[in-house]
């Protein structure tokens, strides 16, 4: 960062004062909390995290120094504040894919387009000749759940996905949210949430670095046991082996 763009010493000092004030507010909220999921504590925590992060960035930009604090990521939902007996729910789903095999995607879309042309239900020839056109064809033909289960067949590679079930006081009016389906999602009305990400797999691998070694040891022990069992069975005649083969089939 150039000197002209660097924050001033006064800005860094003001950010430090903001951290101090946020610490006081957080402690006061903790001392007054009404329960384990007190929203005031949650709010004070977020304010403290934001103030500390801002100070850390300004400190680094101005003095090339950092704080010893690690700001935890906010991977939990806030306390539920929706109706105890929801009259309606909304299911918000996002699934990410990478186009891993464009040619496979194009081939499937062109087959769908050809079949529609034969029955007179197609939307026009040549639409599936591009990747974005092929995506439109496939997602127009198949339900999202079917694409999720057959994504490899369509040349797609799964990425992160999330599903939120949110509570509502009343069902939405027809067409009300179609232009911005996720804009008004309230995290405090989320009844349950399910996330799928490769990040979680990486965390499991980091927690169990020796898991693969143990698995190999177990396999070796199993092979030793198998050899022993085979040696013990050498004295069996053919009549004793036939029932075993029948059970295996």
């Amino acid at each position: 960062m150039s000197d002209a763009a660097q924050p001033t010493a006064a800005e860094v000092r003001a950010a430090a004062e903001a951290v101090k004030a946020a610490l006081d507010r957080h402690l006061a909220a903790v001392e007054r909390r009404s329960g384990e999921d007190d929203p005031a504590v949650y709010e004070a925590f977020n304010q403290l995290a934001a103030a500390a992060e801002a100070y850390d960035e300004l400190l680094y930009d101005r003095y090339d120094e950092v704080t010893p604090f690690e700001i935890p990521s906010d991977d939990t939902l806030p306390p539920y504040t929706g109706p105890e007996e929801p009259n309606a729910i909304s299911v918000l789903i996002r699934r990410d894919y990478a186009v891993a095999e464009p040619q496979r995607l194009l081939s499937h879309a062109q087959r769908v387009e050809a079949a529609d042309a034969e029955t007179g239900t197609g939307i026009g020839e040549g639409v599936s000749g591009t990747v974005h056109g092929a995506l439109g064809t496939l997602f127009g033909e198949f339900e999202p759940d079917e694409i999720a289960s057959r994504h490899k067949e369509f040349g797609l590679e799964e990425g992160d996905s999330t599903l939120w079930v949110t509570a509502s006081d009343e069902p939405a009016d027809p067409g009300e949210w179609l232009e911005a389906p996720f804009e008004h999602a309230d995290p405090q009305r989320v009844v349950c949430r399910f996330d799928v990400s490769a990040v979680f797999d990486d965390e499991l691998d980091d927690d169990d670095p020796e898991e693969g070694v143990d698995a190999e040891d177990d396999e070796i022990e199993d092979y030793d046991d198998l050899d022993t069992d085979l040696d013990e069975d050498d004295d069996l005649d053919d009549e004793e082996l036939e029932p075993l083969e029948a059970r295996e089939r």
Side-chain angles (χ1 to χ4, degrees):
M1 181 178 293
S2 66
D3 292 340
Q6 284 184 348
T8 65
E11 289 174 331
V12 178
R13 172 62 62 181
E17 295 298 329
V19 173
K20 297 175 187 178
L23 277 169
D24 291 336
R25 287 194 300 271
H26 182 261
L27 178 58
V30 170
E31 291 172 340
R32 296 193 304 265
R33 68 181 177 186
S34 57
E36 183 177 351
D37 294 327
D38 191 327
V41 175
Y42 178 83
E43 180 64 23
F45 173 88
N46 285 338
Q47 292 177 356
L48 176 57
E53 185 173 8
Y55 170 63
D56 190 83
E57 290 180 359
L58 292 173
L59 187 71
Y60 181 79
D61 290 342
R62 176 69 185 183
Y63 300 110
D64 199 23
E65 291 289 345
V66 296
T67 64
F69 311 119
E70 180 179 355
I71 307 301
S73 60
D74 185 14
D75 56 358
T76 59
L77 290 171
Y80 176 74
T81 60
E84 292 185 6
E85 298 181 5
N87 294 320
I89 63 168
S90 295
V91 180
L92 310 179
I93 301 175
R94 172 172 171 169
R95 298 186 179 114
D96 282 5
Y97 300 96
V99 180
E101 300 180 69
Q103 192 56 52
R104 180 184 291 269
L105 176 73
L106 292 167
S107 297
H108 274 278
Q110 288 163 359
R111 283 199 291 270
V112 170
E113 189 176 72
D116 289 345
E118 291 179 1
T119 60
T121 60
I123 59 176
E125 296 182 358
V127 175
S128 62
T130 62
V131 171
H132 70 270
L135 289 169
T137 298
L138 289 178
F139 278 87
E141 178 72 15
F142 301 104
E143 294 291 334
D145 288 343
E146 184 172 1
I147 290 180
S149 64
R150 300 173 59 185
H151 64 277
K152 291 184 179 179
E153 178 184 342
F154 296 141
L156 302 175
E157 181 179 315
E158 252 182 340
D160 290 356
S161 65
T162 186
L163 182 150
W164 292 23
V165 179
T166 63
S168 305
D169 296 315
E170 298 294 339
D173 293 334
E176 180 180 356
W177 49 263
L178 295 180
E179 292 299 323
F182 304 108
E183 183 177 345
H184 302 293
D186 185 353
Q188 291 187 306
R189 284 185 168 238
V190 174
V191 178
C192 56
R193 170 179 171 176
F194 304 96
D195 297 325
V196 177
S197 175
V199 172
F200 304 141
D201 297 335
D202 294 340
E203 290 175 353
L204 290 176
D205 293 341
D206 293 340
D207 291 340
D208 301 317
E210 301 298 328
E211 184 176 355
V213 176
D214 294 340
E216 292 178 1
D217 292 343
D218 291 341
E219 290 176 2
I220 294 173
E221 291 175 1
D222 292 340
Y223 282 123
D224 292 341
D225 294 340
L226 179 61
D227 291 340
T228 303
D229 293 340
L230 291 175
D231 292 340
E232 293 176 353
D233 290 341
D234 285 343
D235 296 333
L236 295 175
D237 56 25
D238 294 338
E239 293 180 355
E240 292 175 315
L241 289 174
E242 288 178 359
L244 292 176
E245 293 176 351
R247 283 198 295 272
E248 290 176 352
R249 287 198 296 269

